[in-house]
């Protein structure tokens, strides 16, 4: 655990075993159910075994945008998933960072609309860029997570956990800018503010990035000030991932602001 924390402290992130195989399948089931529900079609289009072919099933742009709306693309975590997230390594890292490990596992959309739920996670589906539709809008730009749900937070208020469900190679995984969590990002690095602070290319191109190889069930735990994103899907399947905010419930007021 100490070695993993050293990596987190040095690089701003670490790779952790989180889910079991059954948890991955449960996530797929929940996402399939949510997509079918949003489609309101009599015949179910999605099952666990065809989610990776999402880009061939949903070709209509407006339908895709509807399914990927930040207001609706979330699912509830099962007890087994929550147990995986409450593992001893994450507790150890949080205790080192915060002085305690008391957290709330949350999905955060736009706070002003009340889009925040405990024990839920957001999901994102990114279509391959090799298709005729250059699907560059399927991914978030390079950003940091200190502006969570439109609410400005402090470095000690949260950490983020990103878990791939489909797509584990460098063609699919999260793009990370190692060690940028230590930077004091000036205000002029911001391109836009929606749910998160999106960085200007002239800023983030000064730093090297890379995409790690993960195994099914592994996730990336990273610092909220770490630059990440712009993770174009360079594979042939639709990538599916989930992300969660682990909010500090004790030391700071952000948790109370977000839930009250």
């Amino acid at each position: 655990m100490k070695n993993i924390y050293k990596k987190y402290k040095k690089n701003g992130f670490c790779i952790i075993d989180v889910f079991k195989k059954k948890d991955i399948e449960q996530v797929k089931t929940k996402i399939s159910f949510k997509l079918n529900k949003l489609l309101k079609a009599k015949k179910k289009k999605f099952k666990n075994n065809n989610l990776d072919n999402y880009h061939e099933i949903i070709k209509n742009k407006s339908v895709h945008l509807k399914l990927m709306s930040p207001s609706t693309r979330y699912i509830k975590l099962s007890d087994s998933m929550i147990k995986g997230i409450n593992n001893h390594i994450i507790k150890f890292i949080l205790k080192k960072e915060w002085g305690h490990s008391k957290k709330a596992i949350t999905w955060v959309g736009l706070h002003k609309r009340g889009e925040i739920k405990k024990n839920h996670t957001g999901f994102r589906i990114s279509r391959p860029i090799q298709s005729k539709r250059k699907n560059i809008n399927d991914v978030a730009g390079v950003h940091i997570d200190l502006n969570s749900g439109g609410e400005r937070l402090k470095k000690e208020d949260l950490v983020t956990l990103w878990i791939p469900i489909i797509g584990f190679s460098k063609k699919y995984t999260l793009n990370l800018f190692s060690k940028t969590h230590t930077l004091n990002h000036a205000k002029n690095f911001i391109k836009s503010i929606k749910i998160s602070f999106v960085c200007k290319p002239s800023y983030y191109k000064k730093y090297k990035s890379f995409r790690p190889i993960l195994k099914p069930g592994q996730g990336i735990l990273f610092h909220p000030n770490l630059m990440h994103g712009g993770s174009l899907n360079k594979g042939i399947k639709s990538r599916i991932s989930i992300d969660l905010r682990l909010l500090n419930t004790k030391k700071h007021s952000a948790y109370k602001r977000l839930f009250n």
Side-chain angles (χ1 to χ4, degrees):
M1 287 191 292
K2 290 182 180 179
N3 288 335
I4 294 177
Y5 177 63
K6 283 181 181 179
K7 290 179 181 179
Y8 177 89
K9 198 70 177 175
K10 179 182 178 180
N11 300 316
F13 71 92
C14 58
I15 296 171
I16 298 174
D17 293 329
V18 183
F19 285 164
K20 296 178 179 178
K21 185 177 179 180
K22 66 176 183 179
D23 297 320
I24 294 289
E25 290 304 310
Q26 280 189 1
V27 172
K28 290 180 181 179
T29 299
K30 287 175 176 287
I31 291 175
S32 296
F33 179 83
K34 189 66 177 277
L35 293 176
N36 288 324
K37 184 178 180 181
L38 291 171
L39 285 169
K40 296 180 180 179
K42 292 182 180 179
K43 186 177 180 180
K44 294 180 180 178
K45 289 190 176 183
F46 290 103
K47 296 180 181 179
N48 290 15
N49 61 0
N50 71 350
L51 283 171
D52 60 355
N53 201 36
Y54 170 92
H55 57 288
E56 293 296 338
I57 298 172
I58 301 297
K59 295 185 178 182
N60 184 284
K61 182 179 178 180
S62 62
V63 174
H64 171 70
L65 292 175
K66 175 186 175 182
L67 295 178
M68 292 300 104
S69 168
S71 301
T72 55
R73 54 177 171 82
Y74 63 87
I75 57 172
K76 187 175 182 179
L77 297 164
S78 68
D79 291 342
S80 178
M81 295 173 204
I82 292 171
K83 184 178 179 180
I85 297 164
N86 285 329
N87 69 65
H88 62 288
I89 296 176
I90 291 179
K91 286 182 178 180
F92 182 85
I93 291 172
L94 294 184
K95 194 168 184 179
K96 285 287 187 179
E97 287 293 290
W98 300 344
H100 66 90
S101 59
K102 294 183 178 180
K103 65 184 181 302
I105 302 169
T106 61
W107 159 77
V108 181
L110 189 61
H111 175 229
K112 291 180 180 179
R113 296 178 184 170
E115 296 169 359
I116 181 165
K117 292 179 179 288
K118 293 180 183 178
N119 295 331
H120 284 66
T121 180
F123 65 87
R124 183 184 290 274
I125 302 177
S126 298
R127 298 165 293 175
I129 60 170
Q130 282 90 339
S131 67
K132 293 179 181 179
R133 306 172 298 276
K134 298 292 184 181
N135 299 313
I136 59 174
N137 293 323
D138 284 10
V139 301
V142 176
H143 64 284
I144 61 174
D145 285 347
L146 286 177
N147 196 60
S148 191
E151 185 81 9
R152 177 63 170 168
L153 303 179
K154 298 178 181 179
K155 295 178 182 178
E156 300 85 1
D157 286 336
L158 77 154
V159 296
T160 300
L161 180 61
W162 184 90
I163 305 172
I165 303 302
I166 296 174
F168 306 99
S169 74
K170 291 181 180 180
K171 292 182 178 180
Y172 295 98
T173 58
L174 188 64
N175 192 38
L176 303 165
F177 291 77
S178 183
K179 301 179 182 179
T180 57
H181 65 301
T182 62
L183 299 174
N184 183 18
H185 302 296
K187 288 185 179 180
N188 63 2
F189 89 110
I190 302 171
K191 178 181 178 183
S192 64
I193 302 175
K194 291 183 180 179
I195 292 178
S196 299
F197 288 158
V198 178
C199 310
K200 294 178 180 178
S202 59
Y203 182 79
Y204 68 75
K205 285 184 177 180
K206 294 185 292 184
Y207 304 98
K208 291 183 179 180
S209 66
F210 85 110
R211 303 171 77 164
I213 299 172
L214 275 70
K215 298 176 182 177
Q218 289 185 324
I220 303 172
L221 186 77
F222 59 92
H223 193 282
N225 199 47
L226 184 79
M227 289 197 300
H228 62 282
S231 313
L232 294 173
N233 179 355
K234 297 180 180 180
I236 60 173
K237 301 177 181 179
S238 285
R239 178 184 70 221
I240 298 183
S241 61
I242 63 172
D243 61 90
L244 317 99
R245 302 291 186 269
L246 306 183
L247 289 179
N248 184 340
T249 62
K250 185 177 178 181
K251 194 173 182 180
H252 298 278
S253 60
Y255 174 76
K256 292 182 180 179
R257 292 203 312 273
L258 288 168
F259 279 98
N260 291 297

